[in-house]
Structure formats: C-alpha cells, structure tokens
Amino acid sequence: MKRIWLTGASSGIGAALAELLLQQGHRLAVSARRTDALQALAKRYPQQVLALPGDLGDAAQVRAIGECIAQQWGALDLAILNAGTCEYLEVRAFEAALVERVMRTNLLSAGYCVEAALPLLRLGRQPHLVAMCSAATFLPLPRAGAYGASKAALRYLFESLRIDLAAEAIDVTLVSPGFVDTPLTRKNDFPMPMRWPVDRAARHIAERLDRRPFEIAFPGPFVALLRLLAHLPKGLQLALGRRLAHTTTGERP
C-alpha cells in the first residue's frame, strides 16, 4: 500500500485515476480546487482518502497541503502532479495574460508541488515523482502556443529533475497523453484524432506506474505520427501547421 498525493483529482484523468488507485488499496491525498468532488471521494473511501483542496497556483496553499500530509502520514511514496489546464491562443488578439494563466497552472503549480513533495518523498519507500505532460510537446500545433509552451517547460523541468534526483533513488516519470475525452477537451472546437475514453487512459497509466518508466505516452500510433512529423523540414512543418490551422479556425491556409 502506497501513500500517494494526486493533484487535479476532481475530474478527468485525475478523477478516474483516483478511483483505480483507491480500488488497488492505496492511501490517497487528493488536491484540486473543487472541494465537493474531493469530499465525495473521501466519503466513499473514508479510511483511504485525505481530502486537501486548494489552489495549487498559490505557493502558500501548496505548502499548507504538504504540511498536512506530513502531519497525517509523515512521508510520501508517490506524487502524481496531474493538475492542469488548456487555453488556446487567438493570434489576432494575442493575450499575454492567457499565457500567464496557463503557465501558472501547468508549470508554476508543478514547481510548488515539487517543493512540497520532495521532502516527503525522501522519507518514503521507493519514492516516485510523476508529472502529467502532453503529446503536444512532440510537435508545435496551431493555437497551442501557451499550452504547448507550458508542457514543454514542464518536460524540461522533470527530465532535468530525473538526472538530479537519480543519486537519491527518486524515479521520475512523465505521462504524455494525446486526446482524452475529459470535460476540458470537450470544449475543443476541432477534430481530435484517436481520442481515448478517460477510463482507458487512466487504466493505461495505472498499469504502467509500477514499472516506473521514463515516460508513458499514448495512444501509440498518434505519438508515433507526431514524432515522425517533428522530423520533417521546418518548411513542411509550417505548411502542415497552416493546414491544421485552417481546419480548426476556418481561416485560409
């Protein structure tokens, strides 16, 4: 039985993953802004769930969550930093505040959580640090400048941490999904090829966590296609991107 901190646990992949981890018998500290969803989970699994709601973009609130975990459990064996958001940039009305919002939610909050989690992981059994990245980091996509930049920065942060934490035997895994059917992606106004149901995505992640791989990326064909396209000359990538932009916005390629 592991002591796990899971962020972004109120909906989407986080909520589905929480259910699977609890069914496996683990103890779960769950964090998100939505207090009601976390409390409902704690009510269903009263002996396993520690509900710790808060704004993970607020460093002080994250520190308080870490202190509560320390008081209750004393250590962590696994931290899964899943909380995140997505907003699309409209280049004709470029909004720097949008970039800031996405960076705070996807990158800075992860940094706050790492700061809170590492002292607890150092006291845990076979410690493991996991972050939710994105397949979007394999290839630049139209309108995804803020989201892709935040996830690319997250990738670099955690791949660097993997090197720095190796001496302490703290493994680091990145999870890089393609399109998954969640409340967030249902807002998208463009086709989402090879989209997976959220339960399938959560199972795929849960089944691989114990192997502690460097990365869990899926769906395989979608990821392979993005990686292949990333090796095209930049001119061809630009032409492809313009065609994709035409399908998502109706603009002329």
Side-chain angles (χ1 to χ4, degrees):
M1 180 178 65
K2 294 178 181 176
R3 296 159 293 182
I4 303 171
W5 181 22
L6 172 64
T7 69
S10 62
S11 65
I13 292 175
L17 190 57
E19 291 284 352
L20 290 175
L21 294 171
L22 289 166
Q23 289 167 14
Q24 292 172 2
H26 300 299
R27 284 192 285 171
L28 212 59
V30 287
S31 295
R33 285 191 179 94
R34 286 181 51 203
T35 303
D36 57 342
L38 302 185
Q39 290 178 342
L41 196 63
K43 190 172 183 179
R44 289 171 48 223
Y45 297 91
Q47 304 303 316
Q48 293 175 254
V49 171
L50 183 61
L52 300 171
D55 179 0
L56 300 179
D58 183 317
Q61 291 188 44
V62 176
R63 281 195 297 271
I65 289 171
E67 290 166 2
C68 187
I69 295 173
Q71 291 169 3
Q72 294 292 321
W73 294 349
L76 281 171
D77 307 309
L78 171 60
I80 305 174
L81 308 185
N82 165 74
T85 192
C86 180
E87 293 187 62
Y88 292 103
L89 278 169
E90 303 299 340
V91 72
R92 289 178 178 168
F94 188 93
E95 185 185 352
L98 184 154
V99 179
E100 182 179 359
R101 286 195 303 271
V102 174
M103 283 290 185
R104 177 165 298 281
T105 301
N106 291 352
L107 178 64
L108 297 183
S109 67
Y112 301 149
C113 289
V114 169
E115 182 179 51
L118 276 181
L120 297 169
L121 288 170
R122 290 184 173 112
L123 299 172
R125 299 182 298 269
Q126 296 182 312
H128 189 188
L129 178 62
V130 178
M132 187 64 64
C133 193
S134 172
T137 59
F138 301 135
L139 182 73
L141 298 171
R143 300 169 62 204
Y147 176 75
S150 69
K151 292 297 187 178
L154 187 73
R155 173 179 293 280
Y156 196 100
L157 172 64
F158 276 76
E159 289 186 343
S160 180
L161 283 172
R162 179 184 293 132
I163 298 168
D164 294 332
L165 293 173
E168 299 182 62
I170 299 177
D171 293 323
V172 175
T173 295
L174 284 170
V175 180
S176 299
F179 294 112
V180 177
D181 184 18
T182 68
L184 195 60
T185 60
R186 287 175 206 142
K187 299 177 183 177
N188 290 347
D189 57 359
F190 53 84
M192 291 176 279
M194 304 184 214
R195 179 170 50 172
W196 275 16
V198 69
D199 290 343
R200 181 182 180 186
R203 284 197 307 272
H204 187 83
I205 297 167
E207 289 168 359
R208 286 158 178 77
L209 281 177
D210 283 344
R211 304 176 197 172
R212 310 161 83 87
F214 290 155
E215 187 156 9
I216 302 170
F218 59 91
F222 182 68
V223 169
L225 176 61
L226 291 182
R227 284 176 164 157
L228 177 64
L229 294 175
H231 286 88
L232 291 175
K234 292 299 181 183
L236 289 178
Q237 286 187 34
L238 176 59
L240 174 63
R242 293 184 68 188
R243 290 185 66 85
L244 288 174
H246 174 62
T247 65
T248 61
T249 66
E251 295 177 2
R252 291 192 305 171

